[in-house]
Amino acid sequence: MTNRVLMKGNEVIAEAAIRAGCRYYFGYPITPQTEIMHYMAKRMVEVGGCFVQAESEVAAINMVYGAAAAGARVLTSSSSPGISLKQEGMSYIAGAELPAVVVNIVRAGPGLGGILPAQGDYFQATKGGGHGDYRNIVIAPASIQELYEMTVAAFNLADQYRMLVMILGDGALGQMMEPVLFRDVEPNVSTEKLWATRGRKGKPEHNIVTSIYIDPDMLEMKNRELVAKYAVVQKEETRFETLNLDGAEIVFTAFGTASRICRNVIRQAAEMGIKVGMIRPITLWPFPSEEISRIADLSHVKAFLDIELNAGQMVEDVRLAVNGKKPVHFYGRMGGNLPTQKEILDQLLAIHEGEVR
Amino acid sequence: MAIVFEKTKGLTDKPFHFCPGCTHGIIHRIIAEVMCEMGILEDTIGVSSVGCTYNNYEYFACDMVQAAHGRAPAVATGIKRVHPENMVFTYQGDGDLASIGAAEILHAAARGEKISVFFVNNAVYGMTSGQMAPTTLLGQVTTTSPFGRDSAVQGFPINVSELLSVLPGAVYIERVSLNNYKNIQAAKRAIAKSFRVQQQGLGFSMVEFLSTCPTNWGKEPVESLRWVESDMMPQYPLGVYKGKDLKV
């Protein structure tokens, strides 16, 4: 416990990136992620890295594309409307198979929306967002400590699979303070990046980073390679946490900030003699479908209750995983509002009344 | 027999796909020649953009990165910040640089990014078949200005070299042409100067090339070269717009 420090989520993300060996940050200001930029503006100078305030989110993600192509560990961060602008670049990064980490501290939408916490970017984050057939690894931490661990992991995953990894937080996680322990991390599990453009320097062939394949057969071959890579990621990198599933009658599905509220409701329900468990996806893509399907097979599980800070997005993946085996209920709040424990407990009690008793 | 001329090693053996009479090929060759003559081919990273030269990563023998439409200066910024010791250039057309990428080029120049921008102005969109470009001349007929560009409807051409030359971050800007041998030699000297500016870490530089597009102009190749002089040059005068007294 000795080395714990009290820090804001956004600052922890920035520090984690530095500790993971990231020395390049490109970004454009937007609330509620601005502290990442502020922290990087100072910290990059201290560590001899590079901080550039770009002219737009579009430029920032393309600077990321360039730095990643050049072989560097690189970060950009933004919030929902800014992430929409980055989608073009994110599709190119996927097409060119470049490793990069993008942080989305989600705010309420659509449009300019509001600046308070939300989870309305689940669809955009997990279903592509940009054009074409591609996937990003999407990680949704639920605590400041996990923000640290997962940001470090994100850089390693990005390098390992040559993929874009998104940290999907929200305004609450970004702005709240919690104690964090900066455990020593292995900064670089990365490869040599022989594909990177660093100048030819005597190589027999020049290196090319591109996402364009005019020949349809070449492009389809590339598509198939990506599909095969994504299948490996699904098999190897799906992460989730389960809680209290032993004998659970109702199971929460929730991620990030919403899961924190559910955690408290589980305790309240237990005091009332109702057994409630939870599965919290840590990676939203790859999604823990198999585990959810397994839970749906448990005879003591009577129903699922999905809680999100949106109009119901992840619940679609939960329903696909449950595949009709058990009822899946949903409750969400929007606009930057968080559901109270009481609101969720009331939903829980109604489901318990209807489907468990 | 003595070799009096050979193809530059700055280009790969991949045949160009450019239309007959298009001067993109000349620009590629002289950039490649300069890289070899300056001994920087092994240190240079080029950025391809979107348009007729989207795939020039297959032509230049240096390391190459392909960028999204208009974003080459941002991509080059990322590369140059990671490898400040390397030479980094972008190769962009007028639609790419002056329209969709207007923000990226303006801010790369404003930041004084130590990159070389090779800007090819042929007053038309080539790849997508002859639409009006930001640099299309008044009165010029294109597929999207079929009655000729009318300033009251489609506004005015953008003179990019003049525009960027007022920024302190831009240290060398020159407009050149490929319409005759003398101008091609001048264009080559401008490319070399741009790379030297970058080598010496002085800041942003750009060479604007007045280039032909016989296919989309609907003109014969020779007629196209004449049109560059008769019609383009009055709107886009050749010359050094920034860094006239620069000693590099």
Side-chain angles (χ1 to χ4, degrees), chain A residues 126-197:
Chain A
T126 61
K127 310 293 179 191
H131 57 282
D133 252 327
Y134 74 95
R135 290 291 188 180
N136 296 322
I137 295 173
V138 182
I139 307 179
S143 68
I144 306 300
Q145 184 65 39
E146 204 172 46
L147 273 181
Y148 169 64
E149 316 272 343
M150 289 298 117
T151 302
V152 173
F155 281 95
N156 289 335
L157 287 168
D159 279 352
Q160 187 180 348
Y161 294 102
R162 289 181 63 179
M163 279 179 75
L164 189 148
V165 182
M166 176 178 278
I167 300 288
L168 193 77
D170 61 59
L173 271 176
Q175 295 295 323
M176 73 163 80
M177 293 177 93
E178 272 182 343
V180 57
L181 177 66
F182 290 113
R183 276 192 261 267
D184 283 340
V185 290
E186 198 138 349
N188 202 339
V189 297
S190 154
T191 58
E192 282 184 79
K193 302 190 180 177
L194 297 172
W195 47 265
T197 51

Side-chain angles (χ1 to χ4, degrees), chain A residues 45-60:
Chain A
V45 174
E46 290 172 6
V47 298
C50 169
F51 168 92
V52 177
Q53 180 168 333
E55 60 269 31
S56 67
E57 286 91 349
V58 175

Side-chain angles (χ1 to χ4, degrees), chain A residues 243-252 265-266 269-278 300-303 348 352 356:
Chain A
L243 185 70
N244 224 32
L245 286 179
D246 240 8
E249 298 163 317
I250 300 172
V251 175
F252 280 128
V265 177
I266 289 171
E271 284 163 16
M272 299 170 75
I274 302 170
K275 287 178 181 169
V276 181
M278 176 160 70
H300 54 78
V301 172
K302 305 299 180 200
L348 200 66
H352 190 261
V356 182

